[in-house]
Amino acid sequence: MAKEIKKVVLAYSGGLDTSIIIPWLKENYNNCEVIAVSADVGQGTELDGLDEKAKKTGASKLIVLDLKEEFIQDYVFPTVQAGAVYENRYLLGTSFARPIIAKKIAEIAIAEGADAICHGCTGKGNDQVRFELAIKAFAPDMAIIAPWREWNIKSRDEEIDYAEAHDIPLKINRETNYSKDKNIWHLSHEGLDLEDPANEPQYEKEGFLELGVSPIVAPDKPTYVTIHFEKGVPTAIDGKEMNGTEIVTTLNKLGGENGIGLADLVENRLVGMKSRGVYETPGGAILYHAHEVLETICLDKETARVKQYLSIKFADIVYNGQWFTPLREAMSAFVTETQKTVTGDVKLKLYKGNIINAGVTSPYTLYDEEVATFDADEVYNQADATGFINLFGLPIHVKAKLDQKRNNK
């Protein structure tokens, strides 16, 4: 196989894994050409200096793709609309970033006439599945190289040894070597002391949190924010219209400052093991909350219930890398239909890690104050409840009567 591969497109982040993969590919695949592709989904300064670094370590060129707005509009917001949260806590920050990255890399590999696509995902993680399922959807005949499933390197310490031996500069050291994934939506932390669920995350330790602060040190004064939605998509904050990137960036700042969106959980990975991670998703936590509040007045009960059931499956689909499947598309079609009336404004109060409801309005509200009021009204006849209760309770009533007859024999 190695002899046949002359050109490889590498999903390149410039982190520890992909930094050493370029020279490793050239050493193990007959000095093949390596085209590095970096997808900008909001990593920020992590992309600084990557062109020079990629070429210095052996890449023929670096292609950088700005995918932030497409990522937010086509992957993030549809997942928020679905109310999809993995295992009640994880807001899927890494999960839904992988399909768009892999899709674009597959398209580039085809355009460049590459023989293979390479990624730096470990053989223990979920990302290898997410990347490769997306690649199969767009380049089904493309060979895939996954060094973590081939090489003799067994740990991140050994990766650092390899990097040092090949004079590859790294932005990390052995003492602060958390495994992190950052994009415009979130930041995840794994490894080191976090591998033991008995250890408390060091939220107050300088340098641990990057998108916000611990609720303990957040301001003593609350922050109010009003988010406007059009058909389930956030379009404005405090009356100012914004694109998706601006919405998330603004809410990340507001949420981060108030200690919002920290999640510490042990989750069930797709590959079968449990893993412990700490996630920072300040803006995402606010958007999920606001969207859910708006739906409480815009969706009828039965639609809301079915949507809630399906949200668990939708989260599994996203987490498991099955974005480009007929089922996900069908479920998204259902979600889109439910969002036709999810338009309005949600006011929230952010305070020391808490998101507190402060008011919700919609031109499509199903809440009728005249019907719901405890005061006198002329639209609801309370006596009607007697017949309803008799019919609703008929099975209970019948069973009780028959039980009495049987017991009296």
Side-chain angles (χ1 to χ4, degrees):
M1 180 179 175
K3 293 180 180 179
E4 300 171 0
I5 293 176
K6 298 178 180 178
K7 184 185 291 188
V8 178
V9 170
L10 168 67
Y12 183 71
S13 68
L16 176 58
D17 296 326
T18 56
S19 292
I20 68 171
I21 282 176
I22 295 176
W24 181 87
L25 280 172
K26 298 184 79 67
E27 288 176 0
N28 289 273
Y29 284 86
N30 300 317
N31 199 32
C32 62
E33 179 185 356
V34 179
I35 298 172
V37 179
S38 292
D40 182 1
V41 286
Q43 302 93 310
T45 57
E46 290 183 10
L47 296 173
D48 294 348
L50 283 195
D51 186 72
E52 179 182 357
K53 183 178 179 180
K55 292 177 180 175
K56 186 177 179 181
T57 51
S60 61
K61 62 181 175 180
L62 172 69
I63 299 172
V64 179
L65 307 170
D66 185 352
L67 304 178
K68 292 190 291 294
E69 188 64 18
E70 184 178 349
F71 169 50
I72 293 295
Q73 294 290 352
D74 294 350
Y75 297 80
V76 175
F77 286 168
T79 305
V80 175
Q81 288 177 306
V85 178
Y86 186 70
E87 297 188 337
N88 299 316
R89 300 292 307 284
Y90 176 40
L91 302 185
L92 297 165
T94 299
S95 307
F96 48 34
R98 297 320 189 208
I100 184 174
I101 294 171
K103 175 187 177 184
K104 299 297 181 180
I105 287 173
E107 292 171 349
I108 288 173
I110 292 170
E112 293 281 349
D115 304 302
I117 292 172
C118 180
H119 63 74
C121 307
T122 75
K124 285 186 175 182
N126 303 305
D127 279 344
Q128 58 182 334
V129 181
R130 296 166 183 155
F131 266 104
E132 294 187 30
L133 293 192
I135 291 168
K136 290 178 186 299
F138 295 95
D141 297 323
M142 186 71 64
I144 298 173
I145 301 172
W148 269 104
R149 304 201 299 253
E150 295 183 27
W151 62 23
N152 295 320
I153 297 172
K154 302 299 183 184
S155 68
R156 290 175 70 80
D157 267 348
E158 290 184 16
E159 284 187 289
I160 294 174
D161 291 338
Y162 185 97
E164 290 174 348
H166 290 75
D167 296 320
I168 300 171
L170 299 173
K171 294 181 180 180
I172 62 172
N173 58 54
R174 295 177 195 270
E175 289 71 35
T176 60
N177 188 20
Y178 285 109
S179 176
K180 299 186 179 186
D181 178 74
K182 183 179 182 181
N183 58 46
I184 192 173
W185 184 250
H186 91 149
L187 174 65
S188 65
H189 309 256
E190 293 180 318
L192 297 182
D193 57 306
L194 297 179
E195 290 190 345
D196 185 349
N199 292 330
E200 178 183 0
Q202 301 302 302
Y203 292 138
E204 286 79 48
K205 184 178 180 181
E206 184 178 353
F208 180 75
L209 296 178
E210 296 182 28
L211 300 184
V213 299
S214 165
I216 294 174
V217 299
D220 293 329
K221 181 181 179 181
T223 298
Y224 284 89
V225 61
T226 299
I227 304 168
H228 179 74
F229 290 83
E230 289 285 338
K231 295 183 178 180
V233 176
T235 59
I237 295 177
D238 293 332
K240 182 181 178 182
E241 291 192 4
M242 301 179 181
N243 64 25
T245 303
E246 293 166 337
I247 291 277
V248 174
T249 301
T250 300
L251 292 178
N252 272 341
K253 182 176 185 300
L254 292 176
E257 290 170 348
N258 288 279
I260 303 294
L262 297 178
D264 171 15
L265 67 149
V266 174
E267 70 197 56
N268 291 294
R269 283 184 180 173
L270 174 59
V271 294
M273 69 186 72
K274 290 184 182 290
S275 67
R276 196 271 189 98
V278 170
Y279 299 98
E280 299 180 60
T281 322
I286 295 170
L287 280 176
Y288 266 94
H289 187 107
H291 182 262
E292 183 177 354
V293 169
L294 185 57
E295 284 193 329
T296 64
I297 67 169
C298 294
L299 294 187
D300 65 275
K301 177 182 176 179
E302 294 306 317
T303 299
R305 288 290 187 274
V306 173
K307 185 171 178 291
Q308 186 178 31
Y309 303 151
L310 293 179
S311 70
I312 297 172
K313 181 60 178 178
F314 198 105
D316 284 342
I317 287 171
V318 176
Y319 189 86
N320 294 344
Q322 296 168 307
W323 187 270
F324 301 112
T325 60
L327 178 56
R328 198 282 307 167
E329 292 173 1
M331 293 183 71
S332 285
F334 165 77
V335 171
T336 298
E337 181 67 22
T338 69
Q339 300 299 291
K340 285 183 175 180
T341 59
V342 184
T343 294
D345 292 285
V346 181
K347 186 177 182 181
L348 300 171
K349 179 161 63 175
L350 313 178
Y351 182 69
K352 288 188 173 294
N354 295 291
I355 306 173
I356 304 165
N357 298 349
V360 56
T361 61
S362 170
Y364 302 104
T365 182
L366 298 176
Y367 181 88
D368 188 330
E369 188 173 351
E370 190 176 6
V371 172
T373 182
F374 284 101
D375 294 330
D377 69 84
E378 298 180 358
V379 298
Y380 183 89
N381 183 354
Q382 298 200 26
D384 290 344
T386 301
F388 166 75
I389 294 169
N390 287 335
L391 291 175
F392 190 63
L394 184 60
I396 297 173
H397 176 81
V398 170
K399 181 180 184 300
K401 295 289 286 183
L402 293 174
D403 285 345
Q404 285 179 350
K405 287 182 179 180
R406 282 187 284 267
N407 292 334
N408 290 333
K409 287 182 178 180

